[in-house]
Amino acid sequence: MPVISTSAVRTTALGAAGAAVAGIGYASLVERNAFVLREATMPVLAPGSSSLRVLHISDLHMTPGQQRKQQWLRELDRLEPDLVINTGDNLSHQKSVPAVVQALGGLLSRPGLFVFGSNDYFAPVPKNPMKYFKKDHRRVYGAPLPWKDLRAAFTERGWLDLTHIRRDLEVAGIRIATAGVDDPHLHRDRYDTIAGAPNPLADLRIGLTHSPEPRVLDRFAEDGYDLVLAGHTHGGQLCLPGYGALVTNCGIDRSRVKGASKWGEHTQLHVSAGVGTSPWAPYRFCCRPEATLLTLVAAPPKRPSADTGQGVSTSEAVAR
């Protein structure tokens, strides 16, 4: 058998350790701050509708000193979206509300919808990373966060809170029926409070949830919503080339951890990979922080199936 020298073993070990340190440095210092705007076109509007530009933001996990993140968020207003949707986890610090409000800046003057997540209600706490691989682990909550102040700041500027509320609105000539639930990750969702088919006269039906739990997505789909938006997953946060996310931190499968997909026959799902990270896990790898500009367009007419005679939807989400 070949003899491996002690020096060769030491060199290999040092090389592996060096690569690990470099990877951690890149994930925490570079990619965590490499913000990117994603764009996607989703055919979900009623036939004949004009397009609608929706900016989806989520999981800011803001702390007061994150100047680079705040500046990048302020610049998103230049996109001039027709509608802004925020799917929660804005806070990571007791004094973060002013930073979030100032960072969102002009976006708060545009039509907006929101629901909250766990890190709007409770501060993040240190956690064993292996717990993310166990869905039923015991959750430990941090100190309460000033979510009521954040809600007041959002609603005073005109954004609509969809927490267990159904609302109809018109944006850019598009009639939209909307509804949302409180964070399913905390088991605060009470879908029965918004259950039932949305306004049949609407050109678009949107559902909001922070965590994309299948039990909630199924209810939105059963009620006939065209599009459901969620966050929470951070896109996996740590991903491997050629494999993708290691975990989703919720009940959906890894293939849906970020971006657009279908949920059932009719409903489209969009999951944001989010802008931030917990201050106790400040790293991203192969999963840049993001906001998404969704261009919603008219869905193609339903065509009868040659086999069953039933109408089937041919709409698909196309990322670009």
Side-chain angles (χ1 to χ4, degrees), residues 113 160-169 176-181 190-200 205-207 220 223 225:
L113 309 170
L160 302 178
D161 182 359
L162 290 191
T163 305
H164 298 146
I165 295 175
R166 294 168 52 147
R167 298 180 185 269
D168 290 355
L169 64 153
I176 310 174
T178 66
V181 295
R190 302 291 182 268
Y191 191 91
D192 286 344
T193 62
I194 58 166
N199 187 345
R205 292 154 284 271
I206 297 179
F220 276 123
D223 281 343
Y225 283 83

Side-chain angles (χ1 to χ4, degrees), residues 96-121:
S96 291
V97 171
V100 170
V101 173
Q102 293 169 17
L104 295 178
L107 292 174
L108 289 170
S109 298
R110 302 186 182 278
L113 309 170
F114 69 92
V115 291
F116 283 154
S118 59
N119 285 153
D120 292 303
Y121 299 118

Side-chain angles (χ1 to χ4, degrees), residues 32 35 56-62 69 72-73 76 234 272-277 284 288-291:
R32 179 171 66 95
F35 306 106
H56 183 192
I57 57 177
S58 194
D59 298 87
L60 308 187
H61 290 283
M62 189 71 72
K69 182 193 297 183
W72 185 80
L73 287 167
L76 293 177
H234 296 191
S272 172
V275 178
T277 66
R284 282 179 177 257
R288 291 173 66 179
E290 67 176 46

Side-chain angles (χ1 to χ4, degrees), residues 104-279:
L104 295 178
L107 292 174
L108 289 170
S109 298
R110 302 186 182 278
L113 309 170
F114 69 92
V115 291
F116 283 154
S118 59
N119 285 153
D120 292 303
Y121 299 118
F122 302 104
V125 295
K127 183 186 296 186
N128 181 345
M130 297 307 296
K131 286 188 175 182
Y132 287 104
F133 293 89
K134 185 179 180 182
K135 293 182 179 180
D136 297 326
H137 66 269
R138 178 176 174 272
R139 292 186 174 89
V140 178
Y141 302 119
L145 291 174
W147 63 272
K148 292 182 180 180
D149 294 342
L150 185 64
R151 182 180 65 179
F154 283 176
T155 58
E156 286 171 5
R157 295 290 295 273
W159 280 15
L160 302 178
D161 182 359
L162 290 191
T163 305
H164 298 146
I165 295 175
R166 294 168 52 147
R167 298 180 185 269
D168 290 355
L169 64 153
E170 184 171 315
V171 177
I174 305 295
R175 295 169 297 179
I176 310 174
T178 66
V181 295
D182 208 346
D183 187 11
H185 187 63
L186 295 181
H187 299 283
R188 295 173 69 133
D189 53 303
R190 302 291 182 268
Y191 191 91
D192 286 344
T193 62
I194 58 166
N199 187 345
L201 299 178
D203 302 306
L204 173 67
R205 292 154 284 271
I206 297 179
L208 266 61
T209 176
H210 175 64
S211 179
E213 296 295 346
R215 68 175 184 274
V216 174
L217 302 180
D218 287 344
R219 296 292 299 274
F220 276 123
E222 290 166 2
D223 281 343
Y225 283 83
D226 304 300
L227 175 63
V228 179
L229 293 98
H232 177 70
T233 66
H234 296 191
Q237 191 165 326
L238 296 178
C239 301
L240 297 179
Y243 182 80
L246 300 177
V247 295
T248 66
N249 197 25
C250 62
I252 61 172
D253 58 271
R254 293 188 306 105
S255 69
R256 304 174 191 270
V257 72
K258 64 179 177 180
S261 62
K262 290 187 69 173
W263 192 270
E265 290 298 316
H266 175 76
T267 303
Q268 301 278 354
L269 170 67
H270 186 266
V271 179
S272 172
V275 178
T277 66
S278 166

